[in-house]
Amino acid sequence: MTGVWALLGALAVAGAIGVLLKVREGRISRSKDTVDLPAPVRDLLAPGVTLVQLSTTFCAPCRHAKVVLRDLADRTDGLTHAELDVTNLPDVTTKLGVMRTPTTLALTSDGTEVLRVGGVPKRDSLLAALRPHLP
């Protein structure tokens, strides 16, 4: 009987973790502090707002994020999309405080972080959050 309770407890914990991860997917967070951008990121900045997508080689959600971000940038004036593969750049992720891929940083042309999104962004909510920063 103890084994059944242990199994039910493990399933409950796993379910709670799954729900928590699902809720956090694509959530937009505002920048709290200013970071000196690493050179590979700084080199990607363009006039207006640049969506810098940090990806890794074997990241399946990264491909979905790329489609969403590229489409959004193509349809929005003053918005650019750039992707940076950080597979071999752990120093970049450490300096930026990135714990997962894909992570998208919205950066102004002077390198100010406007917001960041962990996971695949939701197009409409991302656009709404970016509106005040676009021309």
Side-chain angles (χ1 to χ4, degrees):
M1 190 66 176
T2 304
V4 172
W5 287 111
L7 177 63
L8 290 175
L11 288 174
V13 169
I17 291 171
V19 167
L20 178 66
L21 291 175
K22 185 68 175 171
V23 167
R24 292 192 59 171
E25 178 72 21
R27 192 183 82 200
I28 298 171
S29 59
R30 306 286 181 217
S31 177
K32 297 177 193 96
D33 54 341
T34 305
V35 177
D36 185 31
L37 293 177
V41 175
R42 199 174 37 251
D43 294 342
L44 298 173
L45 298 181
V49 176
T50 303
L51 298 174
V52 178
Q53 177 187 342
L54 304 174
S55 303
T56 52
T57 305
F58 298 106
C59 169
C62 294
R63 291 186 275 285
H64 298 289
K66 183 178 182 176
V67 170
V68 171
L69 296 172
R70 183 165 286 158
D71 178 60
L72 184 61
D74 288 346
R75 295 173 185 238
T76 309
D77 290 332
L79 191 61
T80 308
H81 171 252
E83 184 176 14
L84 179 63
D85 186 341
V86 293
T87 303
N88 297 316
L89 301 171
D91 53 323
V92 170
T93 57
T94 301
K95 189 164 189 174
L96 294 173
V98 173
M99 304 298 274
R100 66 183 279 197
T101 57
T103 293
T104 304
L105 307 175
L107 303 166
T108 60
S109 57
D110 66 354
T112 303
E113 183 178 323
V114 175
L115 56 88
R116 70 173 55 197
V117 181
V120 179
K122 294 169 182 70
R123 185 185 190 285
D124 294 335
S125 58
L126 179 58
L127 184 58
L130 287 171
R131 274 281 177 232
H133 307 285
L134 295 172

